Amino acid sequence: LHLVGTASLAPYLMSRTVAQLYLKIPRLGCRVRVGAPDLVTQHLVQRESHLGLALAAHDHPNLETVKSYRCGLACVMRSDHPLARKKRVAPKDLIGQRVISSPETTAFGQTLRRAFGTAGAQMHKDLDCTSSTTACWFAQAGVGVAVVDQVAIAGGLLAGLEVRPFRSTEKLPVRLIRNRYRPMSVVERAFVEAFDGVWATIAQ
């Protein structure tokens, strides 16, 4: 089974799904590649991977969505950050703060722009990262606070970070994608079924 996924989704979602799959198929040969959304598209179009996992919508006619999910946003910061005292963080709370953001040329950057609303103009967005996982590393180092997709911090994988819900109606699409011109194998279908189960553990 050849899998490809983006950096914020692979650490928890993909690893837990593969672990569940090995309970059913102990000797399964599996290859995992992690990178930017463009890599996911490239691997699937060129048939180098069977299934892809990405936050953004695919924009290639040869690809189709197998399953689609939606996740919200969370705010992360170190425990010594003033915002760590809050139970929930709103856009207005980030005014005057150094916010680790994402380039507005990306789909996630556009999501953050909408989520921040008018408060975004008064945030110090001095640093941007192209993945939520990278943003979490910088927040962990004390660079500032980051607003990331909830999947990126699922399972408490990053020690030393406080996580708070972020007040926003914005939702991000999480998609399992495949090449529409390849028939799905029994193993691929088993992965999709296992993924459903893992998603249910973080969607509660």
Side-chain angles (χ1 to χ4, degrees):
L1 178 64
H2 293 185
L3 303 168
V4 60
T6 51
S8 68
L9 302 181
Y12 187 85
L13 284 175
M14 194 174 282
S15 65
R16 266 53 179 186
T17 303
V18 169
Q20 290 299 310
L21 204 54
Y22 273 122
L23 295 177
K24 297 179 179 179
I25 314 172
R27 300 300 305 168
L28 173 68
C30 191
R31 186 191 74 185
V32 176
R33 298 292 180 265
V34 178
D38 287 350
L39 179 74
V40 177
T41 299
Q42 174 191 322
H43 268 241
L44 294 172
V45 169
Q46 296 179 358
R47 304 190 184 195
E48 295 174 15
S49 292
H50 302 121
L51 290 169
L53 183 59
L55 265 176
H58 58 79
D59 56 359
H60 196 284
N62 289 10
L63 304 184
E64 68 177 7
T65 298
V66 180
K67 292 287 292 255
S68 182
Y69 309 82
R70 289 165 65 80
C71 75
L73 298 169
C75 187
V76 297
M77 73 292 289
R78 286 197 345 181
S79 56
D80 57 358
H81 194 282
L83 289 179
R85 295 194 292 266
K86 289 186 165 289
K87 291 184 177 180
R88 184 180 294 267
V89 176
K92 63 180 178 59
D93 298 321
L94 300 181
I95 291 174
Q97 298 287 341
R98 184 184 298 116
V99 178
I100 303 162
S101 191
S102 186
E104 288 197 3
T105 52
T106 66
F108 185 59
Q110 288 294 311
T111 297
L112 290 182
R113 183 185 61 76
R114 293 190 298 270
F116 293 155
T118 55
Q122 300 175 72
M123 299 174 192
H124 301 311
K125 293 181 279 190
D126 305 315
L127 173 68
D128 65 43
C129 302
T130 54
S131 89
S132 289
T133 303
T134 306
C136 285
W137 293 339
F138 281 87
Q140 195 178 36
V143 170
V145 300
V147 176
V148 300
D149 56 278
Q150 291 175 336
V151 178
I153 44 83
L157 295 179
L158 288 161
L161 275 180
E162 297 291 328
V163 179
R164 300 291 180 268
F166 187 71
R167 289 184 184 274
S168 172
T169 57
E170 288 294 321
K171 297 287 184 181
L172 291 155
V174 175
R175 291 184 169 94
L176 273 172
I177 311 165
R178 63 181 290 272
N179 188 311
R180 69 172 69 247
Y181 297 109
R182 285 187 65 260
M184 280 189 75
S185 68
V186 171
V187 171
E188 290 168 53
R189 294 185 189 281
F191 180 89
V192 174
E193 182 180 340
F195 187 91
D196 261 340
V198 172
W199 182 267
T201 67
I202 67 168
Q204 295 172 352

